[in-house]
Amino acid sequence: MEQAPGPEEIVTLPDGSCIRLRAVHPGDEAHLQDLVAHMTPADLRRRFFAPVRELGSALAHRLANPNPTHDVALAAMPLDGERFLGVGRLSGARGIAEFAVAVSSDAQGRGIGYLLMGRLIERARLLGLATVEGEVLRDNDRMLRLCRKLGFTTSGHPSDAAILRVTKRLSVVPQ
Ligand SMILES: CC(C)(COP(=O)(O)OP(=O)(O)OC[C@H]1O[C@@H](n2cnc3c(N)ncnc32)[C@H](O)[C@@H]1OP(=O)(O)O)[C@@H](O)C(=O)NCCC(=O)NCCS
């Protein structure tokens, strides 16, 4: 069933420019595929840990249909266009929220990744989740710096030396 688009928020980035922030919803498959088309092979490897070149329709469909009970997916868009500049997602099953984030290669360095991650942490806290976690390639310096700035700690992956696990424990908001 096609859901009505949720409310949009206008957010000012550190450079003074503005973007729109809204939830990803069914029908966004083409926007997600376009975001991937605007990412370099190196950035796609950092996001998917594999030599992905495009977003197939099955995965695009899954990513455009977050589970409303335990997933959060947010998209950053320009003020004057419909394309996705970045997407952050959180899968909150079993009390642990696993994040993933991707910013278009031509929109990086403006604070969009930091903004999306901050919003995901905020949402996880409101959902009563105790921990936000993610996996980051050991050579992904930009993402590791960003995570450390947001209070994540890093530890080794149990079975893959190329991957670090990043973890942030949250203080739960009383209901
Ligand atoms: C990693 C990635 C998500 C970062 O997003 P980005 O939009 O380029 O990063 P930002 O502009 O938000 O952050 C850039 C810098 O400004 C800092 N920053 C941005 N906004 C800030 C704010 N409001 N307050 C303080 N610091 C801020 C960031 O911490 C970072 O610091 P650095 O200069 O030391 O690196 C993005 O590069 C990307 O999508 N890469 C490819 C996919 C990927 O690696 N995904 C992560 C795998 S889970």
mmCIF file of all heavy atoms in Angstrom, residues 14 39 42-44 46-47 49 99-104 107-115 117 135-137 140-143 145-147 149, ligand 1:
data_model
loop_
_atom_site.group_PDB
_atom_site.id
_atom_site.type_symbol
_atom_site.label_atom_id
_atom_site.label_comp_id
_atom_site.label_asym_id
_atom_site.label_seq_id
_atom_site.Cartn_x
_atom_site.Cartn_y
_atom_site.Cartn_z
ATOM 1 N N PRO A 14 25.973 23.463 8.480
ATOM 2 C CA PRO A 14 26.998 24.392 9.000
ATOM 3 C C PRO A 14 27.452 25.441 7.974
ATOM 4 O O PRO A 14 27.845 26.547 8.354
ATOM 5 C CB PRO A 14 28.155 23.460 9.373
ATOM 6 C CG PRO A 14 27.507 22.150 9.692
ATOM 7 C CD PRO A 14 26.324 22.050 8.767
ATOM 8 N N MET A 39 27.141 7.889 -6.488
ATOM 9 C CA MET A 39 28.240 7.535 -5.572
ATOM 10 C C MET A 39 29.369 6.873 -6.355
ATOM 11 O O MET A 39 29.127 6.081 -7.264
ATOM 12 C CB MET A 39 27.732 6.611 -4.461
ATOM 13 C CG MET A 39 26.792 7.347 -3.496
ATOM 14 S SD MET A 39 26.041 6.263 -2.266
ATOM 15 C CE MET A 39 27.440 5.860 -1.255
ATOM 16 N N ALA A 42 34.331 3.709 -4.953
ATOM 17 C CA ALA A 42 34.955 3.619 -3.621
ATOM 18 C C ALA A 42 33.911 3.886 -2.525
ATOM 19 O O ALA A 42 33.884 3.196 -1.499
ATOM 20 C CB ALA A 42 36.104 4.616 -3.519
ATOM 21 N N ASP A 43 33.056 4.892 -2.723
ATOM 22 C CA ASP A 43 32.023 5.174 -1.718
ATOM 23 C C ASP A 43 31.010 4.032 -1.628
ATOM 24 O O ASP A 43 30.521 3.714 -0.540
ATOM 25 C CB ASP A 43 31.314 6.490 -2.035
ATOM 26 C CG ASP A 43 32.093 7.695 -1.525
ATOM 27 O OD1 ASP A 43 32.933 7.510 -0.625
ATOM 28 O OD2 ASP A 43 31.860 8.815 -2.024
ATOM 29 N N LEU A 44 30.695 3.404 -2.758
ATOM 30 C CA LEU A 44 29.748 2.280 -2.724
ATOM 31 C C LEU A 44 30.344 1.100 -1.964
ATOM 32 O O LEU A 44 29.658 0.415 -1.213
ATOM 33 C CB LEU A 44 29.369 1.862 -4.155
ATOM 34 C CG LEU A 44 28.452 2.867 -4.853
ATOM 35 C CD1 LEU A 44 28.270 2.489 -6.319
ATOM 36 C CD2 LEU A 44 27.086 2.910 -4.157
ATOM 37 N N ARG A 46 32.443 1.420 0.473
ATOM 38 C CA ARG A 46 32.386 1.800 1.890
ATOM 39 C C ARG A 46 30.996 1.574 2.472
ATOM 40 O O ARG A 46 30.845 1.255 3.633
ATOM 41 C CB ARG A 46 32.775 3.277 2.061
ATOM 42 C CG ARG A 46 34.230 3.531 1.744
ATOM 43 C CD ARG A 46 34.602 5.000 1.977
ATOM 44 N NE ARG A 46 35.943 5.247 1.517
ATOM 45 C CZ ARG A 46 36.266 5.966 0.436
ATOM 46 N NH1 ARG A 46 35.322 6.568 -0.278
ATOM 47 N NH2 ARG A 46 37.513 6.098 0.071
ATOM 48 N N ARG A 47 29.953 1.728 1.654
ATOM 49 C CA ARG A 47 28.580 1.550 2.136
ATOM 50 C C ARG A 47 28.166 0.080 2.155
ATOM 51 O O ARG A 47 27.563 -0.390 3.112
ATOM 52 C CB ARG A 47 27.611 2.377 1.267
ATOM 53 C CG ARG A 47 26.140 2.051 1.432
ATOM 54 C CD ARG A 47 25.619 2.295 2.833
ATOM 55 N NE ARG A 47 24.201 1.971 2.962
ATOM 56 C CZ ARG A 47 23.729 0.759 3.229
ATOM 57 N NH1 ARG A 47 24.557 -0.265 3.411
ATOM 58 N NH2 ARG A 47 22.420 0.561 3.328
ATOM 59 N N PHE A 49 30.281 -2.698 1.381
ATOM 60 C CA PHE A 49 31.374 -3.650 1.653
ATOM 61 C C PHE A 49 31.566 -4.624 0.493
ATOM 62 O O PHE A 49 32.029 -5.753 0.677
ATOM 63 C CB PHE A 49 31.117 -4.450 2.933
ATOM 64 C CG PHE A 49 31.017 -3.615 4.186
ATOM 65 C CD1 PHE A 49 30.880 -2.246 4.153
ATOM 66 C CD2 PHE A 49 31.063 -4.223 5.421
ATOM 67 C CE1 PHE A 49 30.790 -1.477 5.309
ATOM 68 C CE2 PHE A 49 30.979 -3.472 6.602
ATOM 69 C CZ PHE A 49 30.832 -2.098 6.529
ATOM 70 N N PHE A 99 22.891 0.835 12.301
ATOM 71 C CA PHE A 99 22.750 1.957 11.376
ATOM 72 C C PHE A 99 23.470 1.692 10.051
ATOM 73 O O PHE A 99 24.375 0.857 9.963
ATOM 74 C CB PHE A 99 23.288 3.253 12.002
ATOM 75 C CG PHE A 99 24.797 3.307 12.078
ATOM 76 C CD1 PHE A 99 25.564 3.588 10.953
ATOM 77 C CD2 PHE A 99 25.451 3.072 13.268
ATOM 78 C CE1 PHE A 99 26.945 3.629 11.018
ATOM 79 C CE2 PHE A 99 26.831 3.106 13.342
ATOM 80 C CZ PHE A 99 27.591 3.380 12.207
ATOM 81 N N ALA A 100 23.075 2.446 9.045
ATOM 82 C CA ALA A 100 23.822 2.517 7.783
ATOM 83 C C ALA A 100 23.562 3.913 7.231
ATOM 84 O O ALA A 100 22.461 4.460 7.386
ATOM 85 C CB ALA A 100 23.338 1.462 6.795
ATOM 86 N N VAL A 101 24.581 4.505 6.614
ATOM 87 C CA VAL A 101 24.411 5.860 6.096
ATOM 88 C C VAL A 101 25.188 6.000 4.793
ATOM 89 O O VAL A 101 26.236 5.372 4.610
ATOM 90 C CB VAL A 101 24.849 6.906 7.163
ATOM 91 C CG1 VAL A 101 26.302 6.778 7.511
ATOM 92 C CG2 VAL A 101 24.530 8.323 6.742
ATOM 93 N N ALA A 102 24.642 6.780 3.877
ATOM 94 C CA ALA A 102 25.328 7.040 2.604
ATOM 95 C C ALA A 102 24.992 8.449 2.149
ATOM 96 O O ALA A 102 23.819 8.856 2.170
ATOM 97 C CB ALA A 102 24.876 6.043 1.545
ATOM 98 N N VAL A 103 26.005 9.189 1.772
ATOM 99 C CA VAL A 103 25.815 10.539 1.237
ATOM 100 C C VAL A 103 26.357 10.547 -0.190
ATOM 101 O O VAL A 103 27.433 9.989 -0.462
ATOM 102 C CB VAL A 103 26.549 11.590 2.109
ATOM 103 C CG1 VAL A 103 26.442 12.979 1.504
ATOM 104 C CG2 VAL A 103 25.969 11.592 3.529
ATOM 105 N N SER A 104 25.621 11.148 -1.087
ATOM 106 C CA SER A 104 26.031 11.276 -2.481
ATOM 107 C C SER A 104 27.465 11.822 -2.544
ATOM 108 O O SER A 104 27.811 12.748 -1.806
ATOM 109 C CB SER A 104 25.060 12.232 -3.174
ATOM 110 O OG SER A 104 25.462 12.447 -4.493
ATOM 111 N N ALA A 107 27.938 15.477 -2.583
ATOM 112 C CA ALA A 107 27.332 16.289 -1.511
ATOM 113 C C ALA A 107 28.043 16.064 -0.178
ATOM 114 O O ALA A 107 27.547 16.494 0.865
ATOM 115 C CB ALA A 107 25.845 15.948 -1.386
ATOM 116 N N GLN A 108 29.190 15.397 -0.211
ATOM 117 C CA GLN A 108 29.890 15.099 1.046
ATOM 118 C C GLN A 108 30.632 16.326 1.567
ATOM 119 O O GLN A 108 30.943 17.249 0.823
ATOM 120 C CB GLN A 108 30.857 13.931 0.827
ATOM 121 C CG GLN A 108 30.107 12.636 0.550
ATOM 122 C CD GLN A 108 31.010 11.448 0.290
ATOM 123 O OE1 GLN A 108 32.214 11.528 0.442
ATOM 124 N NE2 GLN A 108 30.418 10.340 -0.126
ATOM 125 N N GLY A 109 30.904 16.306 2.875
ATOM 126 C CA GLY A 109 31.674 17.387 3.489
ATOM 127 C C GLY A 109 30.847 18.606 3.846
ATOM 128 O O GLY A 109 31.391 19.642 4.220
ATOM 129 N N ARG A 110 29.519 18.491 3.764
ATOM 130 C CA ARG A 110 28.641 19.622 4.098
ATOM 131 C C ARG A 110 27.924 19.426 5.428
ATOM 132 O O ARG A 110 27.129 20.259 5.825
ATOM 133 C CB ARG A 110 27.583 19.807 2.998
ATOM 134 C CG ARG A 110 28.150 20.202 1.652
ATOM 135 C CD ARG A 110 27.059 20.210 0.584
ATOM 136 N NE ARG A 110 25.931 21.060 0.946
ATOM 137 C CZ ARG A 110 24.736 21.013 0.340
ATOM 138 N NH1 ARG A 110 24.526 20.161 -0.650
ATOM 139 N NH2 ARG A 110 23.765 21.817 0.718
ATOM 140 N N GLY A 111 28.166 18.294 6.072
ATOM 141 C CA GLY A 111 27.501 18.026 7.346
ATOM 142 C C GLY A 111 26.266 17.150 7.232
ATOM 143 O O GLY A 111 25.555 16.944 8.213
ATOM 144 N N ILE A 112 26.002 16.605 6.041
ATOM 145 C CA ILE A 112 24.784 15.800 5.854
ATOM 146 C C ILE A 112 24.906 14.453 6.576
ATOM 147 O O ILE A 112 23.969 14.005 7.250
ATOM 148 C CB ILE A 112 24.477 15.614 4.348
ATOM 149 C CG1 ILE A 112 24.156 16.970 3.721
ATOM 150 C CG2 ILE A 112 23.324 14.634 4.148
ATOM 151 C CD1 ILE A 112 23.988 16.955 2.199
ATOM 152 N N GLY A 113 26.070 13.812 6.478
ATOM 153 C CA GLY A 113 26.263 12.530 7.166
ATOM 154 C C GLY A 113 26.150 12.702 8.674
ATOM 155 O O GLY A 113 25.501 11.903 9.362
ATOM 156 N N TYR A 114 26.770 13.751 9.193
ATOM 157 C CA TYR A 114 26.727 14.046 10.627
ATOM 158 C C TYR A 114 25.284 14.290 11.075
ATOM 159 O O TYR A 114 24.837 13.780 12.098
ATOM 160 C CB TYR A 114 27.605 15.270 10.886
ATOM 161 C CG TYR A 114 27.838 15.616 12.325
ATOM 162 C CD1 TYR A 114 28.946 15.130 13.004
ATOM 163 C CD2 TYR A 114 26.969 16.462 13.003
ATOM 164 C CE1 TYR A 114 29.181 15.471 14.336
ATOM 165 C CE2 TYR A 114 27.187 16.808 14.331
ATOM 166 C CZ TYR A 114 28.301 16.314 14.992
ATOM 167 O OH TYR A 114 28.525 16.654 16.293
ATOM 168 N N LEU A 115 24.561 15.063 10.282
ATOM 169 C CA LEU A 115 23.162 15.361 10.597
ATOM 170 C C LEU A 115 22.327 14.078 10.627
ATOM 171 O O LEU A 115 21.563 13.834 11.573
ATOM 172 C CB LEU A 115 22.598 16.329 9.551
ATOM 173 C CG LEU A 115 21.102 16.599 9.627
ATOM 174 C CD1 LEU A 115 20.787 17.514 10.793
ATOM 175 C CD2 LEU A 115 20.590 17.202 8.330
ATOM 176 N N MET A 117 23.254 10.954 11.000
ATOM 177 C CA MET A 117 23.635 10.087 12.124
ATOM 178 C C MET A 117 23.080 10.626 13.445
ATOM 179 O O MET A 117 22.594 9.873 14.280
ATOM 180 C CB MET A 117 25.159 9.964 12.202
ATOM 181 C CG MET A 117 25.762 9.054 11.153
ATOM 182 S SD MET A 117 25.307 7.320 11.367
ATOM 183 C CE MET A 117 26.139 6.936 12.897
ATOM 184 N N GLU A 135 28.755 -1.298 11.398
ATOM 185 C CA GLU A 135 30.022 -1.837 10.933
ATOM 186 C C GLU A 135 30.614 -0.847 9.952
ATOM 187 O O GLU A 135 29.903 -0.326 9.082
ATOM 188 C CB GLU A 135 29.807 -3.197 10.269
ATOM 189 C CG GLU A 135 29.357 -4.234 11.276
ATOM 190 C CD GLU A 135 29.280 -5.640 10.693
ATOM 191 O OE1 GLU A 135 29.261 -5.767 9.452
ATOM 192 O OE2 GLU A 135 29.248 -6.596 11.490
ATOM 193 N N VAL A 136 31.892 -0.575 10.105
ATOM 194 C CA VAL A 136 32.580 0.409 9.263
ATOM 195 C C VAL A 136 33.895 -0.215 8.806
ATOM 196 O O VAL A 136 34.604 -0.838 9.614
ATOM 197 C CB VAL A 136 32.867 1.707 10.065
ATOM 198 C CG1 VAL A 136 33.556 2.743 9.176
ATOM 199 C CG2 VAL A 136 31.585 2.291 10.646
ATOM 200 N N LEU A 137 34.218 -0.058 7.525
ATOM 201 C CA LEU A 137 35.503 -0.586 7.057
ATOM 202 C C LEU A 137 36.635 0.134 7.786
ATOM 203 O O LEU A 137 36.590 1.351 7.984
ATOM 204 C CB LEU A 137 35.639 -0.396 5.539
ATOM 205 C CG LEU A 137 34.751 -1.317 4.686
ATOM 206 C CD1 LEU A 137 34.914 -0.989 3.199
ATOM 207 C CD2 LEU A 137 35.059 -2.796 4.945
ATOM 208 N N ASN A 140 37.914 3.357 6.403
ATOM 209 C CA ASN A 140 36.938 4.434 6.158
ATOM 210 C C ASN A 140 37.134 5.544 7.204
ATOM 211 O O ASN A 140 36.347 5.719 8.135
ATOM 212 C CB ASN A 140 35.512 3.868 6.200
ATOM 213 C CG ASN A 140 34.465 4.850 5.696
ATOM 214 O OD1 ASN A 140 34.770 6.035 5.499
ATOM 215 N ND2 ASN A 140 33.256 4.387 5.498
ATOM 216 N N ASP A 141 38.233 6.299 7.027
ATOM 217 C CA ASP A 141 38.625 7.285 8.037
ATOM 218 C C ASP A 141 37.541 8.317 8.312
ATOM 219 O O ASP A 141 37.302 8.698 9.446
ATOM 220 C CB ASP A 141 39.890 8.027 7.583
ATOM 221 C CG ASP A 141 41.075 7.090 7.488
ATOM 222 O OD1 ASP A 141 41.057 6.058 8.194
ATOM 223 O OD2 ASP A 141 41.995 7.364 6.703
ATOM 224 N N ARG A 142 36.889 8.790 7.246
ATOM 225 C CA ARG A 142 35.888 9.848 7.425
ATOM 226 C C ARG A 142 34.745 9.367 8.317
ATOM 227 O O ARG A 142 34.327 10.064 9.238
ATOM 228 C CB ARG A 142 35.363 10.284 6.057
ATOM 229 C CG ARG A 142 34.183 11.216 6.154
ATOM 230 C CD ARG A 142 33.838 11.837 4.837
ATOM 231 N NE ARG A 142 34.212 13.247 4.867
ATOM 232 C CZ ARG A 142 34.253 14.019 3.803
ATOM 233 N NH1 ARG A 142 33.989 13.535 2.622
ATOM 234 N NH2 ARG A 142 34.558 15.279 3.923
ATOM 235 N N MET A 143 34.260 8.152 8.059
ATOM 236 C CA MET A 143 33.137 7.628 8.854
ATOM 237 C C MET A 143 33.582 7.335 10.280
ATOM 238 O O MET A 143 32.832 7.592 11.234
ATOM 239 C CB MET A 143 32.586 6.362 8.191
ATOM 240 C CG MET A 143 31.326 5.851 8.837
ATOM 241 S SD MET A 143 29.989 7.094 8.751
ATOM 242 C CE MET A 143 28.802 6.371 9.877
ATOM 243 N N ARG A 145 35.939 8.889 11.960
ATOM 244 C CA ARG A 145 36.065 10.184 12.661
ATOM 245 C C ARG A 145 34.694 10.694 13.072
ATOM 246 O O ARG A 145 34.489 11.158 14.191
ATOM 247 C CB ARG A 145 36.729 11.210 11.739
ATOM 248 C CG ARG A 145 38.241 11.256 11.815
ATOM 249 C CD ARG A 145 38.787 12.592 11.348
ATOM 250 N NE ARG A 145 38.265 13.038 10.077
ATOM 251 C CZ ARG A 145 38.737 12.667 8.881
ATOM 252 N NH1 ARG A 145 39.749 11.833 8.812
ATOM 253 N NH2 ARG A 145 38.211 13.133 7.772
ATOM 254 N N LEU A 146 33.755 10.592 12.130
ATOM 255 C CA LEU A 146 32.392 11.068 12.403
ATOM 256 C C LEU A 146 31.790 10.296 13.591
ATOM 257 O O LEU A 146 31.201 10.880 14.500
ATOM 258 C CB LEU A 146 31.562 10.854 11.133
ATOM 259 C CG LEU A 146 30.261 11.616 10.963
ATOM 260 C CD1 LEU A 146 29.892 11.661 9.484
ATOM 261 C CD2 LEU A 146 29.149 11.000 11.737
ATOM 262 N N CYS A 147 31.970 8.979 13.588
ATOM 263 C CA CYS A 147 31.415 8.152 14.675
ATOM 264 C C CYS A 147 32.042 8.539 16.012
ATOM 265 O O CYS A 147 31.348 8.643 17.023
ATOM 266 C CB CYS A 147 31.663 6.669 14.397
ATOM 267 S SG CYS A 147 30.611 6.028 13.088
ATOM 268 N N LYS A 149 33.285 11.404 16.851
ATOM 269 C CA LYS A 149 32.745 12.707 17.263
ATOM 270 C C LYS A 149 31.370 12.560 17.896
ATOM 271 O O LYS A 149 30.985 13.344 18.752
ATOM 272 C CB LYS A 149 32.624 13.642 16.060
ATOM 273 C CG LYS A 149 33.933 14.288 15.697
ATOM 274 C CD LYS A 149 33.771 15.306 14.593
ATOM 275 C CE LYS A 149 35.159 15.718 14.138
ATOM 276 N NZ LYS A 149 35.166 16.602 12.996
HETATM 277 C C1 LIG B 1 30.973 8.736 5.644
HETATM 278 C C2 LIG B 1 29.903 9.713 5.164
HETATM 279 C C3 LIG B 1 28.528 9.172 5.561
HETATM 280 C C4 LIG B 1 30.123 11.067 5.845
HETATM 281 O O1 LIG B 1 29.142 11.967 5.407
HETATM 282 P P1 LIG B 1 29.517 13.480 4.989
HETATM 283 O O2 LIG B 1 28.251 14.176 4.736
HETATM 284 O O3 LIG B 1 30.522 13.456 3.910
HETATM 285 O O4 LIG B 1 30.239 13.964 6.299
HETATM 286 P P2 LIG B 1 29.987 15.363 7.046
HETATM 287 O O5 LIG B 1 30.102 16.470 6.083
HETATM 288 O O6 LIG B 1 28.754 15.266 7.842
HETATM 289 O O7 LIG B 1 31.215 15.390 8.017
HETATM 290 C C5 LIG B 1 32.419 15.960 7.588
HETATM 291 C C6 LIG B 1 33.180 16.500 8.765
HETATM 292 O O8 LIG B 1 32.502 17.557 9.461
HETATM 293 C C7 LIG B 1 32.152 17.176 10.795
HETATM 294 N N1 LIG B 1 30.848 17.764 11.063
HETATM 295 C C8 LIG B 1 29.857 17.923 10.165
HETATM 296 N N2 LIG B 1 28.810 18.549 10.734
HETATM 297 C C9 LIG B 1 29.176 18.819 12.012
HETATM 298 C C10 LIG B 1 28.539 19.457 13.090
HETATM 299 N N3 LIG B 1 27.287 19.953 12.971
HETATM 300 N N4 LIG B 1 29.182 19.555 14.264
HETATM 301 C C11 LIG B 1 30.439 19.050 14.409
HETATM 302 N N5 LIG B 1 31.111 18.422 13.397
HETATM 303 C C12 LIG B 1 30.475 18.324 12.213
HETATM 304 C C13 LIG B 1 32.233 15.713 10.686
HETATM 305 O O9 LIG B 1 32.417 15.038 11.897
HETATM 306 C C14 LIG B 1 33.440 15.523 9.758
HETATM 307 O O10 LIG B 1 34.674 15.835 10.363
HETATM 308 P P3 LIG B 1 36.114 15.685 9.629
HETATM 309 O O11 LIG B 1 36.323 16.940 8.817
HETATM 310 O O12 LIG B 1 37.070 15.566 10.741
HETATM 311 O O13 LIG B 1 36.041 14.498 8.722
HETATM 312 C C15 LIG B 1 29.972 9.926 3.633
HETATM 313 O O14 LIG B 1 31.265 10.361 3.311
HETATM 314 C C16 LIG B 1 29.615 8.677 2.831
HETATM 315 O O15 LIG B 1 28.469 8.439 2.529
HETATM 316 N N6 LIG B 1 30.616 7.865 2.462
HETATM 317 C C17 LIG B 1 30.401 6.697 1.652
HETATM 318 C C18 LIG B 1 29.531 5.648 2.343
HETATM 319 C C19 LIG B 1 30.013 5.376 3.742
HETATM 320 O O16 LIG B 1 31.200 5.373 4.041
HETATM 321 N N7 LIG B 1 29.051 5.073 4.630
HETATM 322 C C20 LIG B 1 29.350 4.704 5.999
HETATM 323 C C21 LIG B 1 29.370 3.207 6.127
HETATM 324 S S1 LIG B 1 28.311 2.694 7.434
#
